[in-house]
Amino acid sequence: MKIDKIDEGLFRIFIPFEGWVCTTVYVVVDGESVIIIDSATHPSDVDEYILPALSELRIERDRVGLLLLTHSHSDHAGGAKRLMEALPKMRVRGGFSEDSGEGAELARSPRYSKLSGGEMIGDRLIALALRGHTKDSFGFFDIRTRTLLAGDCLQQRGIGKYRDGVGFPEEYRESVKKLSGMDIYRVVSSHEYDPLGDVAEGRDAVKKLLLLCLEAVFGKS
């Protein structure tokens, strides 16, 4: 198990996905409460990776009050039910609803509520609706460190066999333009995207990343 400290109170857990790439679970310490973002792929990932990582970070389970889901794809939301069992006080939020395919069952839980774009989550995160990869994609912007926890919202040129991860191009364009107007210091994505990887740090690197995300789909302007 690998845990990376992104910045003060921000961590990510690397969890194997399909044996050749990792998916990311983010952990955000917000005062006395803790927020987990995404839940990996399988129920076993919760027991093998997420719960042991909380122990390694010395985070008591009852401090975790909220699970945020960047979108409903299984490599991000597949462990949610098991995590809810392990953390019975934890609420769940995401951008999907009861008619959202993969996320429909979770959306029917009384512990689930739907996110709104621009909503403040706790004292440090802003929920950003960033449609394009999916209709329900969200990123989470940490106002303390100017870090965007991007999930799969910024696809670059894809990853491995998943080369075209933009399901809704025009909405993707608007999402990237929205981010271009923000003061973002760091982007941390959920996978090692081609060619710039999973982290862009510094305003120039973020600008380069956002330009590439548009060029990969629409070509150079």
Side-chain angles (χ1 to χ4, degrees):
M1 175 179 60
K2 180 183 176 184
I3 304 172
D4 180 33
K5 182 177 180 180
I6 301 169
D7 208 315
E8 195 61 39
L10 292 182
F11 304 90
R12 58 177 175 161
I13 310 163
F14 297 86
I15 299 175
F17 168 59
E18 293 195 359
W20 54 274
V21 70
C22 286
T23 191
T24 295
V25 169
Y26 308 93
V27 178
V28 182
V29 180
D30 188 3
E32 289 303 311
S33 65
V34 174
I35 298 168
I36 294 176
I37 302 175
D38 285 345
S39 61
T41 312
H42 306 289
S44 59
D45 292 332
V46 174
D47 296 292
E48 293 179 22
Y49 298 99
I50 300 176
L51 297 178
L54 293 178
S55 296
E56 188 168 327
L57 292 169
R58 298 184 179 181
I59 294 173
E60 299 86 358
R61 294 187 186 186
D62 61 4
R63 288 179 62 194
V64 181
L66 185 61
L67 170 64
L68 299 173
L69 296 170
T70 58
H71 59 300
S72 58
H73 283 171
S74 60
D75 57 318
H76 298 261
K81 287 179 64 178
R82 171 64 192 126
L83 195 58
M84 292 168 72
E85 292 172 358
L87 305 174
K89 295 181 180 179
M90 183 188 71
R91 296 176 294 112
V92 183
R93 304 198 66 191
F96 45 87
S97 56
E98 293 184 19
D99 59 354
S100 297
E102 288 184 86
E105 184 179 357
L106 278 175
R108 288 192 287 269
S109 168
R111 291 163 62 184
Y112 175 87
S113 57
K114 193 173 181 180
L115 285 167
S116 299
E119 184 177 350
M120 191 76 192
I121 308 293
D123 292 330
R124 63 184 298 176
L125 295 181
I126 299 175
L128 300 176
L130 298 173
R131 293 181 169 186
H133 175 54
T134 65
K135 286 278 189 180
D136 59 14
S137 289
F138 269 77
F140 299 94
F141 184 60
D142 176 38
I143 61 175
R144 296 183 190 173
T145 64
R146 318 303 295 174
T147 298
L148 174 65
L149 306 175
D152 285 358
C153 293
L154 295 172
Q155 290 280 306
Q156 299 183 50
R157 295 196 180 103
I159 179 170
K161 63 186 179 183
Y162 300 110
R163 306 313 298 175
D164 184 6
V166 178
F168 305 92
E170 289 307 318
E171 292 182 270
Y172 186 70
R173 189 201 300 268
E174 293 306 310
S175 293
V176 176
K177 286 183 176 180
K178 179 195 302 186
L179 295 175
S180 298
M182 294 178 60
D183 179 19
I184 300 171
Y185 173 74
R186 181 191 293 115
V187 173
V188 183
S189 295
S190 286
H191 308 290
E192 284 268 359
Y193 285 109
D194 178 35
L196 300 179
D198 55 352
V199 177
E201 188 162 317
R203 288 169 177 81
D204 288 344
V206 171
K207 181 179 179 181
K208 180 180 179 180
L209 168 65
L210 296 177
L211 284 173
L212 174 67
C213 287
L214 290 178
E215 290 175 1
V217 177
F218 303 103
K220 292 187 178 182
S221 58

